[in-house]
Amino acid sequence: MSVTRTGPLPAGEAAEYDVVVVGAGVVGSAIARALARHPLRIALVEAADDVGDGTSKANTAILHTGFDAAPGTLEARLVREGHRLLTAYAREAGIPVEPLGALLVAWNEEQRATLPRLAEKAERNGHRTTRLLTPTELAAREPHVGPGALGALEVPGESVICPWTTTLAYATQAVRSGVDLHLDCRVEKVRPGDPYHRLVTRRGVLRARHLVNACGLHADAFDALVGREDFTVTPRRGQLLVFDKFARDLVRHILLPVPGPLGKGVLISPTVYGNVMLGPTAEDLDDKTATGTTEEGLAGLREQGGRILPALLDEEVTAVYAGLRAATGQEDYRIAAHPELRYVTVGGIRSTGLTASLAIAEHVLGLLADCGLDPGPARPLAPVRMPNLGESFPRPYRDAGLIARDPEFGSIVCHCERVTRGEIRAALASTIPPGGLDGLRRRTRARGGRCQGNHCGAEVRALFEERPYGEGAR
Amino acid sequence: MNRTVDVLVVGAGPAGLAAAARLAAAGAGRVEVLEREATAGGVPRHCSRPGFGADARGRALDGPAYARRALREALRAGAVVRTGVSATGWAGPLTLDVTAPTGLERVRARAVVLATGARERPRSARLVPGTRPAGVLTTGELQRTLARFGPRRESVGRRAVVVGGDPVARGAVRTLRAAGVAVTAVVTGPPSPAVAFAGVPVLVGTVVTELLGRGRLTGVAVRGPDGRTAVLRCDTVVFSGDWIPEHELVRARGLPLAPGTRGPVTDHGYRTTEPGVFAVGNLLRGVEPALVAAAEGRAAARAVLERLGGAPWPAAGVPVTATAPLRWVTPGLLGPETGPLLLRPERRLVRPVLTVAQNGVTLRRERLGGTLVPWRSVRLGEQWTAGLDPAGGPVTVDAEE
Ligand SMILES: Cc1cc2nc3c(=O)[nH]c(=O)nc-3n(C[C@H](O)[C@H](O)[C@H](O)COP(=O)(O)OP(=O)(O)OC[C@H]3O[C@@H](n4cnc5c(N)ncnc54)[C@H](O)[C@@H]3O)c2cc1C
Ligand SMILES: Cc1cc2nc3c(=O)[nH]c(=O)nc-3n(C[C@H](O)[C@H](O)[C@H](O)COP(=O)(O)OP(=O)(O)OC[C@H]3O[C@@H](n4cnc5c(N)ncnc54)[C@H](O)[C@@H]3O)c2cc1C
């Protein structure tokens, strides 16, 4: 087990792996973790300098039930299964989850007429607890919803989750269980071969008996490296606004739009960090790097959000960002085994990959077996317990016992998010230390609050630059 | 640990330290100041230029010297100043939850003075679109970065654009240049030609429409008053001005905010609507010179001492609000005392006619001599509030050009 970020990759036998998983997003990390149960040599290889730095860091952070998936698709099955697996795993690994439940709010007759049909669809997907609410019932549950709502469908079980901790927990557990994680290591060429494929990266060559493509937006480009052209990925941008924590009291559920012919509409959702999120847009683009927000995008979101929750617009905005969904023109995932190449493509993980990640991983294990991988006996994974970033769970700055043991947990550095020196030090010395300040933010929330670093930016940077080069930090 | 003090001051900036010094000197009992930073003094600690008044011998003070003097005076008067200690919330009336390296505390006070200051809105709160690269700062973070890392170019960048038009933006330009950073332009929204920027081009009536670059900032896209767009190449952008009070404790207690300032509503005694809780300094309305903030801290001591002496808390006064083209007026409540009003316009107003009315009845109407600008407050002397009835209806302040 090791984490590398710079310098040449291991050579000789150390560069020979039973399985190489390319792409350390939530999906690739989940796959590496699932493989780590078996006595295999595994590498997880990532182009960016951190895990979860692609689409997995920029989504709406909902642990879906899958009530509205297209019944019978692979996605529907894996989302339902993933919801169950991740709910249980989150408890074990300390990933913050809040089962707030969702309300699909209807704003016109057409949408209201859709609600019973959605309830039936949910039923076909195995969710029998949805309920139609009258406008009065809706107002009682969500007193701040704007005027004109005609009713809602309640979907219990829809939850909010911390996407950053999820990916990091998978990758951390994989590494602690023996997986080699190579960061800053884009795979540029693949020379298929037997018994080993040769993967050419900027930092050297790796050899893989079996290969998994978990490249997210770039899954089509990676397929092309091994000579396959089964689909193209079109980035569908979602812009989001994150409102100040003082907005949190305005909303109790995840407020979902009713899907209709005019597109999906936007949602308003609390986050586990205690903020409120508004978005996403849905824009089909060509540029897979276009993760910027736009004037029109943000203005449109505010207009739509103001109708749903008028008081929201009076609150300050803490963050603006955008993520790119991997659309492939098919209303399902594109997961395929290529036994002749000992290769599995995990593509088109559209807008549900966070939820489905653990189920996707189990599914991929099965496909690898179809490709001739004999995983051998399973053994328990090394345990993980992640630092809590959730506002509804105990935080170190309120933990008298912890502060008594280590006063650094009583020393708040990031005042807006109440992140202590102890947490920052712990993140810098963790199994997968952050590669930069953004990675540190995703591990601790430092610099992620309402002042965006005005107060603490310099201090956090100083702590980062003075960081010890601990285990795996090379 | 539960403790009780006489006065708990939150924030050891100019306002909090001045309040503590005056109260301790007046025999208010145990006066304790909590400061979450490692050093007391507030914002001036990072402003290493003159502009903070003068010492007893008439020598100009820079920010750090001013901060040290303010701390010395508070300590000499007998106040206790604790640093590295954060007030994180309320456990009940006049009782704050505190986190410190020494442990958790619940501090109950007979009076609480909130002096938590203000911050500049970051890029996100200003809804500036684009990517999220490194190199995007506020003036506050710029100053702290230079104070922490010294004027090395790698600590800030090589080429900067400053956004904002007020004296703080001018300070940012000077600070950047002193650190060896070239300043490409100052981008300012509403016209503010009165401020000179030492040879740096000022793009008036221009807005930043997008931040560019991944990893590190590579430029900002701007749109001018004629609708034309351009890209300014830079690796650093500093957003200055646009203040928001650091009002977390105020809101956490459910105290009302004044609409224009987003600070707590207070009366001329600096009383909030909660008995025993006072507010002073930039928390009330964003940035004013340090001497103004400190004067407020001292002035608040009178009503705090009354409170400690057992005086009843006055019934909430009548609201005072400003209407466009005025941005805000403070204080937001007319209570038992009268006093001056502080106000700011939204835009430049040349010799405006100001009207103060109560219940729709004009009490005073007068043309002001000079020009009002958005980055400077005007003080209306006590005569402006003289005839107002603290038991009457709402008061409005209005301006016409
Ligand atoms: C706006 C938005 C909202 C969403 N909301 C939700 C939600 O609420 N709930 C939910 O469950 N899902 C949601 N999703 C979907 C979810 O975020 C994605 O399905 C998931 O993150 C996909 O993970 P991934 O690992 O496949 O992709 P990624 O996270 O993009 O990971 C792929 C990784 O592969 C790396 N890579 C690519 N090419 C190479 C190469 N050649 N060599 C090495 N590495 C390479 C990339 O650097 C990247 O890190 C949302 C998505 C968006 C955009
Ligand atoms: C860039 C810049 C340049 C300036 N230049 C000048 C100048 O040249 N001359 C001049 O006169 N003025 C200048 N000023 C203005 C001056 O600095 C302020 O007016 C003054 O600092 C306001 O004092 P304050 O006490 O209200 O707030 P602050 O100085 O902001 O102090 C508030 C203090 O409260 C602490 N605090 C906040 N919340 C908590 C909490 N929950 N628990 C514990 N502690 C807390 C903060 O850490 C801080 O130390 C400048 C300001 C800026 C930003």
Side-chain angles (χ1 to χ4, degrees):
Chain A
M1 92 177 217
S2 71
V3 179
T4 73
R5 219 172 228 134
T6 53
L9 288 171
E13 267 184 29
E16 284 172 7
Y17 293 99
D18 296 307
V19 187
V20 172
V21 180
V22 184
V26 73
V27 170
S29 299
I31 295 168
R33 171 187 169 275
L35 285 164
R37 279 200 217 100
H38 302 278
L40 300 167
R41 275 190 48 79
I42 301 149
L44 176 60
V45 179
E46 168 57 50
D49 73 352
D50 201 355
V51 300
D53 196 48
T55 299
S56 298
K57 74 177 176 198
N59 49 50
T60 46
I62 296 172
L63 179 51
H64 294 295
T65 57
F67 76 95
D68 63 345
T73 57
L74 178 64
E75 183 175 16
R77 174 164 76 79
L78 296 181
V79 168
R80 184 168 66 232
E81 193 62 19
H83 180 271
R84 189 178 60 77
L85 291 172
L86 184 45
T87 304
Y89 180 69
R91 223 169 286 138
E92 168 195 327
I95 300 165
V97 171
E98 290 184 52
L100 301 172
L103 299 177
L104 281 86
V105 182
W107 294 95
N108 56 38
E109 265 313 319
E110 198 184 332
Q111 290 180 348
R112 185 164 65 180
T114 311
L115 295 182
R117 288 206 292 281
L118 277 168
E120 281 161 31
K121 191 178 189 185
E123 183 120 11
R124 271 182 287 150
N125 280 318
H127 301 280
R128 293 182 183 81
T129 50
T130 62
R131 214 167 77 75
L132 292 166
L133 303 184
T134 64
T136 324
E137 287 172 312
L138 170 63
R141 295 201 191 193
E142 291 290 357
H144 298 282
V145 159
L150 300 180
L153 180 70
E154 181 185 32
V155 186
E158 290 279 302
S159 308
V160 295
I161 186 168
C162 175
W164 307 323
T165 309
T166 304
T167 307
L168 194 63
Y170 296 162
T172 299
Q173 195 166 29
V175 169
R176 287 194 196 157
S177 304
V179 170
D180 286 348
L181 171 63
H182 300 302
L183 296 167
D184 237 329
C185 192
R186 176 181 299 281
V187 177
E188 284 164 348
K189 283 200 190 94
V190 179
R191 301 200 198 295
D194 202 6
Y196 288 105
H197 305 305
R198 288 166 56 85
L199 311 187
V200 181
T201 80
R202 211 169 46 76
R203 292 173 48 208
V205 176
L206 293 171
R207 299 198 290 163
R209 281 182 196 276
H210 290 84
L211 191 55
V212 177
N213 167 359
C215 291
L217 287 172
H218 304 281
D220 53 350
F222 195 88
D223 259 8
L225 296 182
V226 299
R228 304 227 39 129
E229 284 183 18
D230 300 333
F231 58 86
T232 33
V233 179
T234 313
R236 181 171 296 158
R237 181 163 62 191
Q239 303 187 37
L240 290 137
L241 286 165
V242 179
F243 285 86
D244 192 282
K245 293 187 191 339
F246 284 115
R248 180 63 185 83
D249 289 342
L250 296 175
V251 54
R252 300 171 186 169
H253 303 78
I254 303 163
L255 301 182
L256 295 176
V258 179
L262 293 172
K264 277 201 110 179
V266 298
L267 63 83
I268 290 180
S269 171
T271 71
V272 293
Y273 323 111
N275 299 76
V276 174
M277 170 184 281
L278 164 64
T281 57
E283 308 154 63
D284 286 322
L285 310 172
D286 309 319
D287 181 359
K288 290 180 180 174
T289 64
T291 52
T293 46
T294 64
E295 250 183 318
E296 311 78 65
L298 299 182
L301 288 179
R302 285 177 71 83
E303 196 195 313
Q304 296 190 65
R307 220 172 303 142
I308 304 170
L309 206 63
L312 188 60
L313 300 192
D314 294 337
E315 299 297 341
E316 298 286 313
V317 170
T318 298
V320 293
Y321 68 93
L324 301 172
R325 310 168 187 86
T328 63
Q330 181 176 304
E331 301 298 289
D332 201 353
Y333 294 163
R334 299 278 190 138
I335 305 182
H338 308 288
E340 68 292 355
L341 283 166
R342 305 183 310 283
Y343 173 63
V344 176
T345 300
V346 190
I349 311 299
R350 311 186 300 153
S351 49
T352 51
L354 169 61
T355 304
S357 49
L358 287 176
I360 293 173
E362 296 308 321
H363 181 64
V364 168
L365 240 58
L367 295 180
L368 281 167
D370 297 345
C371 293
L373 177 73
D374 172 12
R379 44 177 193 167
L381 291 165
V384 280
R385 188 80 200 163
M386 302 304 288
N388 166 46
L389 303 188
E391 212 46 42
S392 297
F393 302 88
R395 301 267 324 273
Y397 83 94
R398 297 297 304 147
D399 186 337
L402 181 61
I403 297 169
R405 285 194 297 282
D406 184 346
E408 294 219 323
F409 287 96
S411 171
I412 298 179
V413 175
C414 165
H415 302 295
C416 302
E417 297 294 307
R418 276 112 190 230
V419 184
T420 63
R421 193 173 300 268
E423 289 163 276
I424 293 174
R425 287 262 155 84
L428 293 172
S430 63
T431 305
I432 306 174
L437 291 173
D438 289 339
L440 181 59
R441 171 170 51 76
R442 295 195 292 272
R443 284 161 176 80
T444 60
R445 287 170 40 183
R447 277 171 72 256
R450 47 174 71 100
C451 90
Q452 291 285 300
N454 180 72
H455 298 312
C456 71
E459 186 60 28
V460 172
R461 180 171 159 195
L463 286 171
F464 180 78
E465 289 180 5
E466 291 156 10
R467 69 195 182 279
Y469 282 82
E471 176 198 13
R474 258 201 41 93
Chain B
M1 191 176 58
N2 292 322
R3 295 190 305 117
T4 305
V5 299
D6 292 292
V7 183
L8 190 64
V9 180
V10 184
L17 288 173
R22 177 62 61 92
L23 284 162
R30 183 171 170 101
V31 178
E32 188 169 306
V33 188
L34 304 183
E35 170 53 55
R36 62 191 186 182
E37 302 274 320
T39 319
V43 167
R45 283 181 305 130
H46 313 292
C47 305
S48 51
R49 312 186 147 266
F52 291 85
D55 67 9
R57 287 189 229 141
R59 285 177 307 202
L61 286 176
D62 66 6
Y66 176 86
R68 281 193 300 274
R69 190 184 66 175
L71 174 63
R72 226 171 24 240
E73 284 172 1
L75 294 175
R76 203 176 286 150
V80 176
V81 180
R82 302 172 63 206
T83 55
V85 178
S86 301
T88 59
W90 300 84
L94 298 174
T95 309
L96 282 155
D97 274 327
V98 169
T99 292
T102 47
L104 301 182
E105 297 170 22
R106 199 152 262 191
V107 187
R108 201 185 147 71
R110 295 168 62 217
V112 172
V113 180
L114 300 175
T116 48
R119 62 173 189 274
E120 290 158 293
R121 283 194 173 84
R123 163 270 174 106
S124 49
R126 302 178 195 217
L127 297 176
V128 176
T131 54
R132 305 191 355 147
V136 182
L137 310 170
T138 53
T139 318
E141 186 174 0
L142 170 70
Q143 289 186 331
R144 283 163 191 262
T145 301
L146 290 169
R148 192 72 179 66
F149 295 94
R152 293 185 278 123
R153 277 192 176 183
E154 61 272 29
S155 71
V156 186
R158 284 161 199 284
R159 237 174 186 315
V161 166
V162 173
V163 184
D166 64 0
V168 174
R170 187 166 42 184
V173 169
R174 275 197 254 126
T175 305
L176 286 163
R177 286 187 154 179
V181 183
V183 182
T184 307
V186 174
V187 176
T188 131
S192 57
V195 186
F197 285 94
V200 177
V202 182
L203 307 180
V204 174
T206 300
V207 290
V208 175
T209 54
E210 192 178 353
L211 303 185
L212 307 167
R214 34 203 85 251
R216 182 80 196 188
L217 186 76
T218 56
V220 299
V222 296
R223 188 175 52 235
D226 53 2
R228 270 202 285 190
T229 57
V231 170
L232 308 174
R233 292 278 150 216
C234 57
D235 59 10
T236 301
V237 59
V238 179
F239 287 94
S240 85
D242 198 355
W243 302 93
I244 170 122
E246 201 70 22
H247 58 211
E248 283 65 55
L249 292 172
V250 174
R251 291 198 70 183
R253 191 68 197 147
L255 304 184
L257 298 185
T261 61
R262 306 291 286 163
V265 290
T266 50
D267 64 15
H268 276 103
Y270 301 91
R271 299 176 194 89
T272 68
T273 50
E274 165 120 342
V277 179
F278 299 79
V280 293
N282 284 353
L283 166 62
L284 295 175
R285 81 284 85 183
V287 82
E288 292 291 330
L291 278 73
V292 172
E296 290 169 343
R298 276 191 298 276
R302 207 176 53 79
V304 176
L305 289 167
E306 273 174 28
R307 160 85 189 173
L308 296 177
W313 198 253
V318 302
V320 185
T321 51
T323 47
L326 297 176
R327 186 189 297 275
W328 54 252
V329 61
T330 59
L333 287 175
L334 184 67
E337 305 89 350
T338 53
L341 296 173
L342 202 62
L343 58 86
R344 271 200 201 205
E346 271 169 356
R347 56 181 169 83
R348 196 182 173 81
L349 298 174
V350 182
R351 296 180 19 87
V353 176
L354 289 200
T355 308
V356 174
Q358 184 166 33
N359 253 347
V361 180
T362 299
L363 290 186
R364 193 184 177 94
R365 188 179 166 83
E366 200 175 291
R367 184 178 291 279
L368 293 194
T371 299
L372 307 193
V373 288
W375 60 87
R376 207 181 309 119
S377 307
V378 232
R379 184 175 297 267
L380 300 183
E382 271 189 54
Q383 69 276 17
W384 283 84
T385 53
L388 296 172
D389 176 5
V395 175
T396 55
V397 188
D398 197 0
E400 294 159 63
E401 255 182 304

